[in-house]
Amino acid sequence: MSLITKMNLHGAVAPHIHARDSVGDIMRELVFSLIPILIFSSLFFGWHILLPVGVSVASCVLFELIWQKMKGQKTTVTDCSAIVTGLLLSLCLPSSVPLWMPVIGAFVAIILCKQLFGGIGKNLLNPALTGACFLTLVFSRRMSALMVDTVSVATPLASVQAGMYHLVPQYASCFLGIIPGSIGETSKLLILLGGLYLWFRGIIDLRIPVTYILTVFLLSCILGSNGLYQILTGGLFLGAFFMATDYTTTPMRPVGKIIFALGCGILTTLIRLYTSFPEGVSFSILLMNLLTPLVDKLTAARPFGESKYRFYLFTRKKVNKTASIKEASRLRVYNRLINKKAADPTRTGPLTGQIAFVHCAGSHDRAERRFRYEGLTTCRDAVVIPGGSLKECRFACLGLGSCKDVCRFDAIQVKNGVAQVLPEKCVGCGDCIDVCPKHIISMVPTSAKIHLLCQSPMTGDYVKSVCKVGCLGCGTCVETCGEHAIRMADGLPLIDQSRCTGCGACTQKCPVRAITLNQGAAALRQASSGFLEFGSAAINTLYLDTVSDEDTEAEISGVSITNIRLQDIHKGEL
């Protein structure tokens, strides 16, 4: 109990993040992106299609409301998720579908696929696709007859499957949507614009739709079919941008998303070319939905201490031999450092001539936060959330202390959301570098004159909007340095420590103080101009921002000082 109290653990039920964008905000963006598609279909097929669309949406909302009232659950129809399900379901149906069919499809989508599994975020399959596939399988003759009655001829995709390319419209007509088909699958242009809008708003990841469409195109060409017709006809674009990108039923990690999209593309092509179904998008996405847990398991993040190469499919752990040798070599070096440290417990400072340094100063009062995180308090757990950062800056320190936890010498502390290395305790083992998922910790020589406090390659106004101390990439430090020890590379200053004299001009001219000076006692006394008295203490390192207002001169004088941030020194404040 005392251990739990000391660690200040906080238990929370998933999801563990609280973002500014709610489920309702995301769903409303989806509805907004689907409106142009619906308007075009109304103009092309006739305004009568709005009736089955409205019945589908109303049925989904009503079924969700009835279920939640019956179960005594909190009503969530205001989050618009049921509206999105109804819209997507209706877009997969023929334009002349009878009104009772969307009602049945809505029941399957909301009750059987969504609510029975626990509601939004817990369903295994995409609800809209499940409802559409149920209608296709159970009422296959009726659905085929409806499609033929609607367009009087075979759909373009059916003509492509039969090899009758002379019956297929031109590429431009297929892309613009002047072709027969389901309500929402005709205009590829509007679907593409809607998908790009969602990507621009940060709602979807383009890895899945791009990989999906390219896979269908390339595999169709390899198997002797017309790749352009395969991607411009049918529901591929609608499924790729609006179905396969569903948060709940698709893998979390980028590699998993690509594997998911590849599987969808392969299955879609095989179903189209070698089965009696002219369309395979719905079935392929649902099949890959079932494999999503396995894909997530195969592509899970590597826990600290295990090899980079790991698979769980046939064995519990299969480790790459080269990686094992590299890991063993690193551990041997680390063990030697530990033995040296244990042999002389009074010794301070690095044992390798280098120390770790955290290239970030974006504390909570300086860097904009995206959301509040609750749950597993490790950086490697937090980095897998959408966007990969708790702060608006994607390269900012997460501040959850994985580097602090792995350090055996108490050489790292976390203050106000930023990790800081204590040079007098750091032994240069490099464990903190290995565990940092943001890769903002590096080994720097103890003789280095200046250090960069930012690793973000972003520049200009974007940096100003997310962090008050982020490097702007303005190049002022390059122009200021008379020794030509600094040059710009990928938007960041690159420091040549061999040329740097430690004059501090770059630190003073930097408009955001993104460069810090590393000097000894002489520079400290010169900067303080007599206002700081440390007696006869051996001054090697001091981080003035770690000194609280209550600290006395006696307590400060006992600190071993090696690193000093001159911009934090204000005359008379101490």
Side-chain angles (χ1 to χ4, degrees), residues 20-35:
R20 293 179 298 182
D21 295 331
S22 63
V23 174
D25 294 333
I26 295 174
M27 294 302 167
R28 281 186 283 272
E29 295 280 7
L30 284 167
V31 173
F32 181 76
S33 65
L34 290 171
I35 288 177

Side-chain angles (χ1 to χ4, degrees), residues 302-310 317-324 327:
R302 176 177 64 97
F304 174 71
E306 293 192 12
S307 170
K308 178 180 179 182
Y309 304 92
R310 183 186 62 165
K317 182 179 180 182
K318 185 182 294 184
V319 183
N320 181 278
K321 184 176 180 180
T322 304
S324 299
E327 179 70 12

Side-chain angles (χ1 to χ4, degrees), residues 66 237 282:
I66 292 174
F237 270 61
S282 300

Side-chain angles (χ1 to χ4, degrees), residues 59 73 75 98 162 225 250-251 282 358 377 381 385 389 395 404 406 421 448 462 525 533 548 551:
S59 300
Q73 300 173 352
T75 303
S225 181
T250 53
S282 300
V358 182
T377 53
D381 292 324
I385 61 180
S389 180
F395 305 90
K404 176 183 177 182
V406 78
V421 179
Y462 172 79
R525 294 193 180 96
E533 295 294 334
S548 64
D551 286 319

Side-chain angles (χ1 to χ4, degrees), residues 223-291:
L223 296 178
S225 181
N226 189 309
L228 277 178
Y229 276 133
Q230 287 291 344
I231 65 174
L232 293 178
T233 57
L236 177 60
F237 270 61
L238 183 66
F241 283 100
F242 290 94
M243 311 288 194
T245 54
D246 178 44
Y247 290 163
T248 307
T249 58
T250 53
M252 295 177 58
R253 298 184 63 80
V255 176
K257 294 180 186 295
I258 294 176
I259 295 174
F260 178 88
L262 285 172
C264 289
I266 293 172
L267 290 174
T268 298
T269 307
L270 295 180
I271 291 174
R272 284 182 172 184
L273 298 182
Y274 299 108
T275 69
S276 58
F277 290 96
E279 181 59 280
V281 172
S282 300
F283 297 108
S284 63
I285 294 177
L286 290 179
L287 288 173
M288 290 306 299
N289 286 162
L290 295 174
L291 295 177

Side-chain angles (χ1 to χ4, degrees), residues 40 169-179 185-193 231-233 237:
F40 175 85
Q170 296 296 320
Y171 294 128
S173 299
C174 294
F175 183 69
L176 295 176
I178 313 175
I179 57 173
E185 69 179 26
T186 55
S187 179
K188 306 304 182 291
L189 173 62
L190 291 178
I191 296 174
L192 179 61
L193 292 177
I231 65 174
L232 293 178
T233 57
F237 270 61

